[in-house]
Amino acid sequence: MGFRTQRDKRERRERRGENGHYLTALDLGSRHLRLASGIVDAEGQVQLIGYAEYPSAGINRGAITDIGLLSKALTALFNNYMTTFEHLRPQHLIVGVPGQFVQMHTLQGNTTVSSGVVTESDRDRAIENARAGTNHDSEQAIIHVLPQNFITPTSPDVTNPIGQYARRLDVTAVVITCRLAHMMNLRQVVGNVSGDLDISHFVYNGLAAADAVLTPGDRDMGVMHLNFGAGGLDVSYYRSGHLVHTLGFANGGELITEDVAMTFGLERNLAEYIKYWGLADPQLFDQYPDEPRRLLLQNGPEGPQLLKLPNGQDVSSAAQGQIIDRVALSTVIHDRLQEIIQAVIGRLQNRQQQTSGNQVFATSPNFMMGAGLVVSGGVACTQGLETVIGKEFSSPFVPYDSHRSYRVSCGVPRGVTTELFDNSALNRPQLATLIGLLRRGQLELNEDRRQMQLNGAQKRPGFFAQLREWAKKEF
């Protein structure tokens, strides 16, 4: 009876997906490939109706290293998905791209308002003029155009200019471009899985993850978002509700795994497993004097096992295996984390000096972070990471008050529910990009439909022309 109940729930959920407008998101991580289908309502609430994941292959630090291996892994992922959710054919496929392949451009555009009252067409024309000014080479393609603020004779910070009186409308927009070669590689890989699959939109992972974990209040107060995954790190800064900076790094959790593997002479997969037993800073062990400092690594009947050795136990009395010093492990993790974070800070400080053309940033080119820093992605699970990031960021950005530090929190997806499993399983920072791809993808699809309707209204024949067409068909 229990099986029948679960099957009925799944079939009911899949029928809702068939009757509703759902979309499918693909997150290509360096450790895991994740696929999900969801329904996104007008308020941005996500209902997850399909989910599958599979070990990644053919991709390293966000870049495709072997199209054949990645195609094989994706085929297995989609096959598993279709076996479990046979009525949910992937549609409106949204695929994420990592930050190291994107560039951000802040541009201005304007248009003359002929009627004196701003219309939807006037707003779109101003945005398009800003988009047209993007100075990118032929190896980049535009994937996002994000209006930041509009300028009218009465206000320099208008969020919605439609209906306002103006003879001229100006706009500041953020344009995000992506490396065209990476997009073409992704299309080829998806096409290798099935000729029926087509990518509807590419979405920047950093933008998607921020959509999943940040609130409007976070963006208004000022917040630094770090999407810290295995293959890379996407850093985005928001203030006054707008995206001000975004940077992408190819250095992520995989670098830490490599360091652990080299230090302790372990295979890569085993090093990935062991590093989660370390802390982001070895000094944090002082706060937990009773926490065992050593681990015993030995082969068990079901694979490698880690056992905590009580402090003071004679190592020679332990069973055969490798002793892992957790303080040494944490030192390795901390040193690499510190290096990555300091590289981020250096890039941010350089970008800070190049903001004179940014309308949002021009009045006060400082990183005001009333909402602190929010970290998502798999590395966010590292115990003590908040302490390390808070300490590193406070030093350069709070130079006049050594007693102040920024609040650092772990970002998990908000506004998402599911019947697939317990909703508490959604509270994982690793799922931020995937859920955000659904939410941002729906915005992109909504914009597509709006443009189609607008173009259709402009091209729609008048009443008498429609009457003539009807007469031809009837008589």
Side-chain angles (χ1 to χ4, degrees), residues 28-285:
L28 297 161
S30 295
R31 292 293 301 173
H32 296 94
L33 307 174
R34 294 186 172 97
L35 185 69
S37 290
I39 301 172
V40 185
D41 66 19
E43 285 73 38
Q45 300 296 302
V46 178
Q47 182 185 11
L48 199 66
I49 59 176
Y51 176 82
E53 67 177 50
Y54 194 81
S56 187
I59 188 167
N60 184 39
R61 298 186 187 178
I64 298 175
T65 56
D66 190 319
I67 285 181
L69 283 178
L70 181 55
S71 298
K72 185 177 179 180
L74 273 181
T75 299
L77 172 68
F78 275 89
N79 286 342
N80 291 349
Y81 181 87
M82 293 306 302
T83 300
T84 307
F85 308 101
E86 55 189 27
H87 300 297
L88 284 178
R89 296 289 172 183
Q91 64 176 19
H92 304 306
L93 185 60
I94 311 298
V95 177
V97 294
Q100 63 261 39
F101 295 120
V102 306
Q103 294 180 5
M104 173 179 161
H105 314 260
T106 303
L107 304 166
Q108 281 74 41
N110 62 76
T111 188
T112 300
V113 181
S114 55
S115 68
V117 178
V118 179
T119 65
E120 190 173 359
S121 296
D122 295 324
R123 182 195 63 185
D124 290 350
R125 192 161 55 250
I127 295 172
E128 182 57 34
N129 288 337
R131 173 193 177 110
T134 309
N135 184 21
H136 66 281
D137 55 37
S138 59
E139 296 182 356
Q140 296 278 326
I142 296 174
I143 59 173
H144 299 295
V145 180
L146 310 172
Q148 302 294 283
N149 63 290
F150 296 89
I151 302 172
T152 67
T154 59
S155 174
D157 192 22
V158 176
T159 56
N160 181 10
I162 295 177
Q164 295 204 25
Y165 289 93
R167 288 297 180 184
R168 171 183 165 127
L169 179 67
D170 291 82
V171 63
T172 299
V174 163
V175 177
I176 296 178
T177 61
C178 180
R179 185 82 55 82
L180 187 59
H182 184 69
M183 296 165 64
M184 294 174 66
N185 286 339
L186 290 175
R187 287 197 182 277
Q188 181 177 345
V189 169
V190 170
N192 289 344
V193 175
S194 172
D196 296 331
L197 287 174
D198 185 40
I199 299 175
S200 294
H201 282 280
F202 292 99
V203 170
Y204 168 38
N205 286 342
L207 189 65
D211 283 349
V213 304
L214 299 182
T215 67
D218 293 333
R219 291 181 171 91
D220 285 338
M221 290 188 294
V223 63
M224 190 76 72
H225 175 240
L226 284 71
N227 190 38
F228 208 159
L233 170 61
D234 304 322
V235 181
S236 301
Y237 173 61
Y238 292 83
R239 202 178 84 189
S240 301
H242 305 301
L243 174 64
V244 179
H245 290 314
T246 191
L247 303 168
F249 298 81
N251 298 333
E254 284 189 341
L255 281 181
I256 301 174
T257 302
E258 291 175 3
D259 289 347
V260 172
M262 291 181 62
T263 301
F264 295 97
L266 303 171
E267 293 183 0
R268 189 183 188 88
N269 289 339
L270 193 54
E272 178 71 21
Y273 171 60
I274 285 177
K275 77 177 184 181
Y276 288 106
W277 291 76
L279 303 182
D281 189 339
Q283 294 182 3
L284 295 174
F285 276 105

Side-chain angles (χ1 to χ4, degrees), residues 420-458:
L420 299 173
F421 35 72
D422 191 282
N423 278 280
S424 62
L426 293 170
N427 296 326
R428 294 189 293 155
Q430 300 97 316
L431 296 181
T433 297
L434 186 69
I435 300 303
L437 288 174
L438 292 172
R439 188 170 284 145
R440 174 57 58 171
Q442 187 63 61
L443 293 176
E444 300 289 350
L445 292 174
N446 291 345
E447 178 61 19
D448 289 347
R449 296 188 182 107
R450 188 187 71 84
Q451 290 290 345
M452 290 177 62
Q453 293 172 357
L454 186 63
N455 294 336
Q458 292 173 347

Side-chain angles (χ1 to χ4, degrees), residues 20 176 310 317 356 363 463:
I176 296 178
S317 65
S356 58
T363 56
F463 171 77

